């Protein structure tokens, strides 16, 4: 058990150091990122922001790029589309899902947790740090919204 605690501490320290370096870099360039393969933002925000070597991806609903409507009425299709939207945004910024370090998932119903985990594990084999919370309501009555932080080299 002692080795696991040390490993967790090292990762936590590495993530904290990485965030600190990005925040403290002298005049880091802040670049707005958008992807043509994701529906237009439904509010006054960017798909993502690149600051230093980090990408901060805004929360993505399971919206279809062509229509801006939800991909379906069930958690499976919305989860897959949300992740595909994140994937497109990260690729537009020069990164990918394997470089994601932190994910936050917002669920309209926590009873969807097991289904979301199954689908999530198909895309995030690197097991980034993650939080999942239930919220009262999501835009467009979505069932899931996912945001993340990733590294770009």
């Amino acid at each position: 058990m002692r080795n696991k605690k040390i490993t967790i501490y090292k990762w936590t320290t590495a993530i904290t150091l990485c965030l600190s370096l990005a925040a403290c870099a002298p005049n880091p360039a802040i670049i707005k990122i958008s992807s043509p393969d994701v529906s237009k933002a439904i509010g006054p925000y960017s798909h993502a922001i690149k600051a230093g070597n980090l990408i901060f991806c805004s929360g993505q609903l399971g919206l279809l790029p062509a229509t801006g409507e939800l991909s379906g009425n069930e958690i499976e299709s919305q989860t897959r589309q949300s992740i595909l939207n994140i994937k497109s945004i990260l690729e537009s910024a020069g990164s990918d899902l394997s470089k994601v370090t932190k994910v936050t998932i917002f669920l309209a119903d926590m009873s969807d947790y097991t289904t979301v985990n199954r689908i999530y594990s198909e895309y995030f084999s690197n097991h980034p740090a993650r939080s999942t919370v239930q919220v009262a309501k999501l835009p467009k009555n979505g069932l899931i919204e996912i945001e993340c932080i990733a590294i770009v080299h």
Side-chain angles (χ1 to χ4, degrees):
M1 188 65 165
R2 189 172 197 278
N3 289 340
K4 287 184 180 179
K5 287 181 181 177
I6 291 170
T7 302
I8 291 169
Y9 174 76
K10 285 181 182 177
W11 276 105
T12 304
T13 302
I15 290 170
T16 302
L17 177 62
C18 182
L19 291 173
S20 297
L21 290 175
C24 296
N27 302 318
I30 295 176
I31 302 166
K32 293 179 183 179
I33 305 294
S34 69
S35 170
D37 299 323
V38 176
S39 65
K40 185 180 172 196
I42 58 175
Y45 58 87
S46 301
H47 285 151
I49 295 291
K50 181 179 173 192
N53 68 337
L54 295 176
I55 301 165
F56 299 87
C57 199
S58 295
Q60 295 298 307
L61 297 166
L63 299 179
L64 293 168
T67 65
E69 296 301 319
L70 292 169
S71 60
N73 294 324
E74 76 290 332
I75 192 66
E76 292 88 352
S77 66
Q78 288 188 32
T79 301
R80 287 187 192 283
Q81 189 61 53
S82 177
I83 294 170
L84 291 174
N85 291 343
I86 287 171
K87 182 177 183 281
S88 293
I89 293 166
L90 292 175
E91 289 172 354
S92 291
S95 190
D96 59 55
L97 293 176
S98 72
K99 294 181 179 77
V100 171
T101 59
K102 174 68 169 94
V103 176
T104 305
I105 299 175
F106 305 95
L107 291 175
D109 186 347
M110 194 57 83
S111 67
D112 290 327
Y113 186 79
T114 302
T115 302
V116 169
N117 276 340
R118 179 179 47 78
I119 296 166
Y120 176 93
S121 67
E122 295 173 19
Y123 294 91
F124 292 98
S125 59
N126 60 330
H127 303 288
R130 187 182 99 180
S131 301
T132 304
V133 296
Q134 180 172 320
V135 296
K137 191 171 183 178
L138 290 167
K140 294 197 170 202
N141 291 315
L143 301 176
I144 187 169
E145 182 172 344
I146 303 174
E147 66 180 24
C148 71
I149 300 170
I151 296 170
V152 64
H153 295 286

